Amino acid sequence: MNRLGITAPSGVSDSSLELTWQDSTWIPILNTSNVLEYFSQASNSFFDKTCNNEIIKMQRLNPDQLQNMTGLEYMLLHVQEPILYVIRKQHRHSPQQVTPLADYYIIAGVVYQAPDLNSVLNSRLLSAVHHLQSSFEEASAFSRYHPSKGYYWDFKSQKGPEKVKIPEKEKPKEESSSLFQRQRVDMLLGELIMKFPLPTPPQPKTAATARVKTESENGAQDAKDKADVKQETKVVKPPADKKPRLN
């Protein structure tokens, strides 16, 4: 397995997939027209000097003549400027027939060797089998058997694999305001209240009407009480006795 979690293809060692190469002096000026020249530097271990690209470079021939030659060559396969370039290593048999051998991708000036499809599928299948096997082993730890019940699952048992408790993330504590901040806010609020005083709310009409009605009722009740008191204090004289008539 390499650093990307992918098994190296047959004929390619893990070390070649882990290798990278870059030339920092070329990175600022790297583009579609000079990326093959950048890849063909002598210090690049991914470049084979016996290829047809090197022959054309040494003889100063037209790069379009690569299609008329046979043998090993490099071609620019995909471009996504300014970050990604894909270069393919292939063996040309004729102008119309080639056999891909390897792919190299350049990201931000750094050259990597890409694994082939066989190694990617191999790695994914091995990972899937490993996770399935781990799941079956964990599930079998909770399997129980009783003569009267038969086989059953006991997930509450402590004999199963210990579960790792993941600590909850502590919430960041809020910083309390300083004395300067509190006094500053109070001063600003005081200035705003002095500049824009709160309006006095008008009294509702229902309350004024109720007050007048209450005062009139209180006045009528006072007049009635005074009349009752006056009536009680009035002296009532008894009627005079009638004398009998003499015949």
Side-chain angles (χ1 to χ4, degrees):
M1 301 287 286
N2 67 346
R3 57 183 177 79
L4 299 175
I6 301 173
T7 307
S10 57
V12 179
S13 62
D14 280 346
S15 58
S16 62
L17 292 176
E18 294 176 356
L19 288 177
T20 61
W21 177 85
Q22 63 177 337
D23 188 348
S24 57
T25 59
W26 280 73
I27 293 177
I29 60 173
L30 196 62
N31 54 50
T32 306
S33 60
N34 60 10
V35 65
L36 281 175
E37 185 179 357
Y38 170 71
F39 186 82
S40 62
Q41 296 296 311
S43 58
N44 184 9
S45 59
F46 298 118
F47 183 72
D48 190 347
K49 296 180 181 179
T50 62
C51 65
N52 293 334
N53 302 73
E54 188 68 12
I55 295 174
I56 288 179
K57 181 180 178 181
M58 296 297 294
Q59 297 181 2
R60 298 181 180 180
L61 301 176
N62 189 352
D64 295 337
Q65 295 185 6
L66 275 175
Q67 296 183 356
N68 301 324
M69 302 174 67
T70 59
L72 185 65
E73 67 179 27
Y74 294 88
M75 64 166 292
L76 184 60
L77 182 65
H78 177 74
V79 176
Q80 186 177 346
E81 288 186 321
I83 191 70
L84 176 63
Y85 304 91
V86 179
I87 295 176
R88 171 165 290 179
K89 179 182 180 181
Q90 59 189 12
H91 185 86
R92 182 171 292 278
H93 305 281
S94 67
Q96 291 79 23
Q97 185 180 5
V98 294
T99 301
L101 300 177
D103 288 336
Y104 305 91
Y105 55 96
I106 305 173
I107 299 179
V110 183
V111 182
Y112 305 88
Q113 181 175 354
D116 63 349
L117 182 60
N118 180 35
S119 63
V120 173
L121 293 177
N122 240 354
S123 174
R124 297 299 181 263
L125 288 174
L126 288 174
S127 298
V129 170
H130 171 72
H131 291 303
L132 286 173
Q133 185 177 0
S134 300
S135 301
F136 281 121
E137 291 177 355
E138 184 176 354
S140 63
F142 296 99
S143 176
R144 301 290 182 270
Y145 175 78
H146 192 271
S148 60
K149 296 181 180 180
Y151 287 98
Y152 65 97
W153 298 104
D154 184 13
F155 293 104
K156 297 181 180 180
S157 175
Q158 300 295 329
K159 296 181 180 180
E162 297 180 358
K163 296 182 179 180
V164 179
K165 294 183 179 180
I166 302 175
E168 297 181 356
K169 295 182 179 179
E170 297 182 357
K171 296 182 179 180
K173 296 181 179 179
E174 297 182 356
E175 296 183 0
S176 58
S177 59
S178 63
L179 179 61
F180 171 77
Q181 291 173 339
R182 290 194 296 271
Q183 290 178 348
R184 188 69 178 174
V185 171
D186 292 342
M187 184 179 66
L188 292 175
L189 291 176
E191 290 179 356
L192 289 174
I193 292 174
M194 292 176 62
K195 190 174 181 180
F196 304 101
L198 297 175
T200 305
Q203 296 182 354
K205 295 181 179 180
T206 54
T209 306
R211 186 173 66 254
V212 172
K213 185 177 180 181
T214 304
E215 290 177 356
S216 60
E217 289 178 355
N218 292 338
Q221 184 67 27
D222 293 342
K224 185 179 179 181
D225 294 342
K226 289 179 180 179
D228 292 341
V229 171
K230 186 175 181 180
Q231 186 176 0
E232 290 177 358
T233 55
K234 185 178 180 181
V235 178
V236 180
K237 295 182 179 181
D241 296 338
K242 293 182 179 182
K243 293 182 182 181
R245 291 184 179 180
L246 298 176
N247 295 326

